[in-house]
Amino acid sequence: MADIVDTAVNAGSFNTLVAAVQAAGLVDTLKGAGPFTVFAPTDEAFSKLHEGTVDSLLADVPLLTRILTYHVVSGKVLSTDVVNLDSAPTVEGSSIKIDASNGAVKINNATVITPDVEADNGVIHVIDTVLIPEPA
């Protein structure tokens, strides 16, 4: 099995996320022991952002790092655990909202489209929208 970064690379649908993780210098962290739970936006999710947003984020490493770490929860939180939570603290420092009440799992305004992608050092839940933390 591969770690979270290699799993994302191998999936082929997370090119923007992987590029962002590389730009923010988070590759070694996400290849670390973990475990981590990553709510991973697809390339399509990044394409929903306003034009130029990804480029401006890649140029603003502190903000990029804040947004990326907002997608990560310490520990391995599988979908069977997620459905029993209404929020979870992120590595960024604030919490994400979790709503599993309508048959689909929502993380803030994103929907989990593929849960429980296993990796050596955690789990990935694929989401359809980039999570943006509240302004600091």
Side-chain angles (χ1 to χ4, degrees):
M1 198 178 299
D3 62 47
I4 286 177
V5 175
D6 291 339
T7 300
V9 168
N10 294 339
S13 55
F14 302 106
N15 296 324
T16 306
L17 178 62
V18 170
V21 166
Q22 290 168 337
L26 294 172
V27 171
D28 288 343
T29 301
L30 291 176
K31 283 180 163 286
F36 304 105
T37 299
V38 177
F39 294 97
T42 59
D43 291 336
E44 189 176 321
F46 277 101
S47 73
K48 290 187 203 175
L49 296 172
H50 294 295
E51 190 174 332
T53 299
V54 172
D55 290 335
S56 63
L57 285 174
L58 291 173
D60 185 345
V61 172
L63 179 59
L64 178 64
T65 301
R66 185 166 175 251
I67 289 172
L68 291 173
T69 56
Y70 188 65
H71 289 77
V72 181
V73 172
S74 289
K76 187 173 181 178
V77 185
L78 296 170
S79 60
T80 51
D81 306 312
V82 169
V83 297
N84 296 315
L85 301 172
D86 56 12
S87 68
T90 68
V91 172
E92 178 266 337
S94 55
S95 290
I96 49 175
K97 288 182 273 184
I98 300 170
D99 180 3
S101 61
N102 293 321
V105 176
K106 299 282 279 185
I107 308 299
N108 291 356
N109 61 338
T111 301
V112 174
I113 51 178
T114 307
D116 298 338
V117 179
E118 295 270 355
D120 280 347
N121 61 344
V123 63
I124 298 171
H125 301 290
V126 182
I127 56 175
D128 66 354
T129 304
V130 177
L131 304 174
I132 305 292
E134 294 293 321

